[in-house]
Amino acid sequence: MNAMIFAAGLGTRLRPLTDHCPKALVKVEGKSLLEHNIINLKRAGFDHIVVNVHHFGQQIIDFLAENNNFGIDIKISDERDLLLDTGGGIMKALTLFANNDPVLIHNVDIISNINLGKVYEQHVKSGSDATLCVAQRTTSRYLMFDNDMRMKGWTNITTGEVKGEKADNMLAFAGIHVVSQRISQSLHAMGKEVFPVMDYYLNNCLDMQFSGYRLPSDTLWVDCGKPESLTKAAKILKEIC
């Protein structure tokens, strides 16, 4: 199975930890965020992984080489010359997979006990163009889905802004999604090299099938974007390892 780990970000929210290393190599419970995610993906059956790099990218390349790619096929999507954002990053990474199977996309700063294999399987069964992991949690920005869990739009409840169409189910994106490689053509149709993937989803959600995978209420999940969140991540890792 195919997966991509977003590891190119600048990690500004994790400063000063990221002043001299990439966010992907920040450690929790003695291992880097990147290693935790690679091992989790490998355990779930993913054996072809692309890791994109930008900020201190050579450190990530060296880290993977020192660990023999953790015994699986890992390729580098090199964005050191230009950070492509999430949409552009996916568009480039899709060219590096040797097969046309769907690709699970995983932010490197997400630690969770989500059953990634089940998410991937559900995407394949659904025939969707993309499947986004979503959860019921408090935030200001929500994706909106109809009763069949088809994505219809996005809203910021603080400003009242809406993109796309309103729908009854308002859920927060969990930083994990699966894309079918056939979306490559529509990604290129954005006409940009650098763009957020959420812009792509919102521009196309009424014409393509983007499904939501609602996470169970007892899911353990944390976004390690800030130093204080690393403590919560450590607690989660102790529970799931």
Side-chain angles (χ1 to χ4, degrees):
M1 294 191 294
N2 299 330
M4 176 188 181
I5 299 176
F6 278 135
L10 300 176
T12 53
R13 293 182 300 158
L14 273 174
R15 288 176 177 164
L17 297 176
T18 52
D19 284 344
H20 302 288
C21 82
K23 174 171 59 177
L25 296 186
V26 170
K27 290 187 176 182
V28 182
E29 287 294 287
K31 296 179 181 178
S32 69
L33 291 171
L34 180 60
E35 180 172 353
H36 283 300
N37 279 293
I38 290 173
I39 296 304
N40 192 31
L41 286 164
K42 182 179 178 180
R43 188 184 299 122
F46 293 86
D47 50 3
H48 303 289
I49 297 176
V50 169
V51 178
N52 71 339
V53 300
H54 175 78
H55 183 60
F56 293 116
Q58 189 61 47
Q59 291 187 30
I60 294 175
I61 294 169
D62 292 343
F63 171 78
L64 292 171
E66 290 163 4
N67 288 277
N68 297 310
N69 286 341
F70 295 91
I72 56 176
D73 174 38
I74 297 181
K75 293 183 173 66
I76 295 295
S77 183
D78 195 338
E79 299 180 21
R80 283 177 289 179
D81 290 338
L82 177 65
L83 184 60
L84 298 175
D85 210 329
T86 50
I90 292 172
M91 188 167 65
K92 180 174 182 176
L94 289 182
T95 66
L96 300 177
F97 290 97
N99 59 48
N100 290 317
D101 294 341
V103 180
L104 184 138
I105 314 292
H106 199 300
N107 290 0
V108 77
D109 53 9
I110 299 299
I111 296 293
S112 78
N113 67 342
I114 295 170
N115 187 329
L116 301 177
K118 187 175 181 180
V119 174
Y120 191 92
E121 180 182 355
Q122 176 59 35
H123 171 81
V124 173
K125 287 182 177 179
S126 73
S128 295
D129 296 301
T131 300
L132 291 76
C133 288
V134 290
Q136 188 71 57
R137 61 182 173 84
T138 302
T139 182
S140 60
R141 296 171 293 180
Y142 292 95
L143 296 175
M144 296 184 289
F145 298 85
D146 65 16
N147 290 332
D148 293 322
M149 288 302 289
R150 180 168 176 173
M151 182 178 167
K152 291 295 183 179
W154 169 95
T155 184
N156 183 323
I157 61 172
T158 302
T159 65
E161 183 182 5
V162 173
K163 295 181 180 179
E165 295 179 356
K166 289 186 177 180
D168 293 336
N169 298 297
M170 296 171 55
L171 299 160
F173 181 47
I176 298 170
H177 41 140
V178 186
V179 300
S180 295
Q181 293 200 50
R182 62 177 176 269
I183 73 168
S184 180
Q185 183 175 355
S186 55
L187 283 167
H188 281 89
M190 292 287 288
K192 301 176 182 178
E193 188 176 10
V194 181
F195 61 95
V197 71
M198 198 54 66
D199 283 0
Y200 165 76
Y201 285 145
L202 293 172
N203 285 355
N204 294 279
C205 66
L206 300 181
D207 301 313
M208 299 175 69
Q209 185 173 339
F210 301 144
S211 302
Y213 181 95
R214 190 193 294 261
L215 298 174
S217 58
D218 60 351
T219 298
L220 300 175
W221 179 96
V222 64
D223 172 357
C224 301
K226 298 179 181 179
E228 57 267 28
S229 62
L230 298 177
T231 300
K232 183 178 179 181
K235 291 180 181 178
I236 289 176
L237 286 168
K238 288 178 181 177
E239 290 191 44
I240 65 179
C241 293

